[in-house]
Short mmCIF file of all heavy atoms in Angstrom, two decimals:
data_model
loop_
_atom_site.label_atom_id
_atom_site.label_comp_id
_atom_site.label_asym_id
_atom_site.label_seq_id
_atom_site.Cartn_x
_atom_site.Cartn_y
_atom_site.Cartn_z
N SER R 17 -89.81 -118.06 89.02
CA SER R 17 -88.57 -118.08 89.78
C SER R 17 -87.36 -117.81 88.89
O SER R 17 -87.22 -118.37 87.82
CB SER R 17 -88.42 -119.46 90.43
OG SER R 17 -87.21 -119.53 91.12
N GLU R 23 -84.40 -109.91 85.61
CA GLU R 23 -84.85 -108.55 85.29
C GLU R 23 -83.99 -107.51 86.02
O GLU R 23 -83.59 -106.50 85.43
CB GLU R 23 -86.32 -108.37 85.65
CG GLU R 23 -86.84 -106.98 85.33
CD GLU R 23 -88.30 -106.78 85.69
OE1 GLU R 23 -89.06 -107.76 85.77
OE2 GLU R 23 -88.68 -105.61 85.89
N ARG R 27 -81.65 -104.65 84.34
CA ARG R 27 -81.75 -103.23 84.71
C ARG R 27 -80.38 -102.65 85.03
O ARG R 27 -80.06 -101.53 84.62
CB ARG R 27 -82.68 -103.04 85.91
CG ARG R 27 -84.12 -103.18 85.57
CD ARG R 27 -85.05 -102.76 86.70
NE ARG R 27 -86.41 -103.13 86.37
CZ ARG R 27 -87.15 -102.54 85.45
NH1 ARG R 27 -86.66 -101.52 84.77
NH2 ARG R 27 -88.38 -102.95 85.19
N VAL R 37 -90.08 -111.97 79.09
CA VAL R 37 -89.45 -113.23 78.70
C VAL R 37 -90.54 -114.08 78.07
O VAL R 37 -91.62 -114.25 78.64
CB VAL R 37 -88.82 -113.96 79.91
CG1 VAL R 37 -88.17 -115.26 79.46
CG2 VAL R 37 -87.80 -113.06 80.62
N GLU R 43 -94.29 -126.01 68.02
CA GLU R 43 -95.40 -126.68 67.31
C GLU R 43 -96.50 -125.70 66.90
O GLU R 43 -97.26 -125.97 65.99
CB GLU R 43 -95.96 -127.86 68.10
CG GLU R 43 -96.41 -127.55 69.49
CD GLU R 43 -95.32 -127.64 70.56
OE1 GLU R 43 -94.12 -127.74 70.22
OE2 GLU R 43 -95.68 -127.60 71.74
N ARG R 44 -96.56 -124.55 67.57
CA ARG R 44 -97.54 -123.52 67.20
C ARG R 44 -96.88 -122.29 66.59
O ARG R 44 -97.57 -121.34 66.24
CB ARG R 44 -98.35 -123.10 68.44
CG ARG R 44 -99.27 -124.20 68.94
CD ARG R 44 -100.42 -123.68 69.80
NE ARG R 44 -100.09 -122.66 70.76
CZ ARG R 44 -99.73 -122.88 72.03
NH1 ARG R 44 -99.63 -124.11 72.47
NH2 ARG R 44 -99.48 -121.88 72.84
N VAL R 50 -93.86 -115.51 79.77
CA VAL R 50 -93.75 -116.16 81.08
C VAL R 50 -93.29 -115.18 82.16
O VAL R 50 -93.31 -115.51 83.34
CB VAL R 50 -92.82 -117.39 81.04
CG1 VAL R 50 -93.39 -118.47 80.12
CG2 VAL R 50 -91.40 -117.03 80.64
N HIS R 51 -92.89 -113.96 81.75
CA HIS R 51 -92.50 -112.92 82.71
C HIS R 51 -92.71 -111.57 82.06
O HIS R 51 -92.47 -111.41 80.86
CB HIS R 51 -91.02 -113.08 83.10
CG HIS R 51 -90.56 -112.01 84.05
ND1 HIS R 51 -90.75 -112.10 85.41
CD2 HIS R 51 -89.94 -110.82 83.84
CE1 HIS R 51 -90.25 -111.01 85.99
NE2 HIS R 51 -89.75 -110.22 85.05
N GLY R 85 -83.10 -103.51 67.39
CA GLY R 85 -83.83 -102.42 66.74
C GLY R 85 -83.46 -101.13 67.44
O GLY R 85 -83.91 -100.87 68.54
N ALA R 89 -88.28 -96.60 64.12
CA ALA R 89 -88.54 -97.14 62.78
C ALA R 89 -88.30 -98.64 62.74
O ALA R 89 -89.08 -99.39 62.15
CB ALA R 89 -87.68 -96.43 61.73
N VAL R 114 -82.83 -117.41 73.96
CA VAL R 114 -82.33 -118.18 75.10
C VAL R 114 -82.18 -119.62 74.60
O VAL R 114 -83.17 -120.24 74.20
CB VAL R 114 -83.30 -118.11 76.30
CG1 VAL R 114 -82.79 -118.99 77.44
CG2 VAL R 114 -83.49 -116.67 76.75
N GLU R 119 -81.36 -126.28 71.50
CA GLU R 119 -82.78 -125.91 71.48
C GLU R 119 -82.99 -124.45 71.89
O GLU R 119 -82.45 -123.98 72.90
CB GLU R 119 -83.54 -126.82 72.46
CG GLU R 119 -85.02 -126.59 72.47
CD GLU R 119 -85.75 -127.50 73.45
OE1 GLU R 119 -85.10 -128.30 74.17
OE2 GLU R 119 -86.98 -127.40 73.52
N GLU R 130 -85.64 -94.69 72.69
CA GLU R 130 -84.86 -94.65 71.45
C GLU R 130 -83.46 -94.12 71.76
O GLU R 130 -83.30 -93.17 72.51
CB GLU R 130 -85.57 -93.76 70.44
CG GLU R 130 -84.94 -93.79 69.07
CD GLU R 130 -85.80 -93.06 68.04
OE1 GLU R 130 -86.36 -92.00 68.38
OE2 GLU R 130 -85.90 -93.55 66.93
N TYR R 133 -79.62 -98.04 73.39
CA TYR R 133 -78.79 -99.22 73.23
C TYR R 133 -77.80 -99.09 72.08
O TYR R 133 -78.02 -98.33 71.13
CB TYR R 133 -79.67 -100.46 72.97
CG TYR R 133 -80.65 -100.76 74.09
CD1 TYR R 133 -81.97 -101.06 73.82
CD2 TYR R 133 -80.25 -100.76 75.42
CE1 TYR R 133 -82.88 -101.35 74.83
CE2 TYR R 133 -81.15 -101.04 76.44
CZ TYR R 133 -82.46 -101.34 76.13
OH TYR R 133 -83.35 -101.63 77.15
N ALA R 140 -74.04 -107.32 76.27
CA ALA R 140 -74.37 -107.49 77.69
C ALA R 140 -75.65 -108.30 77.85
O ALA R 140 -75.73 -109.20 78.69
CB ALA R 140 -74.51 -106.13 78.36
N LEU R 156 -91.60 -124.85 80.04
CA LEU R 156 -91.86 -125.70 78.88
C LEU R 156 -92.09 -127.15 79.27
O LEU R 156 -92.88 -127.85 78.67
CB LEU R 156 -90.72 -125.57 77.87
CG LEU R 156 -90.61 -124.20 77.22
CD1 LEU R 156 -89.31 -124.06 76.46
CD2 LEU R 156 -91.80 -123.93 76.31
#
Side-chain angles (χ1 to χ4, degrees):
S17 178
E23 180 180 336
R27 285 190 189 288
V37 180
E43 55 272 12
R44 291 201 318 269
V50 297
H51 178 84
V114 177
E119 183 180 2
E130 187 171 40
Y133 300 134
L156 293 168

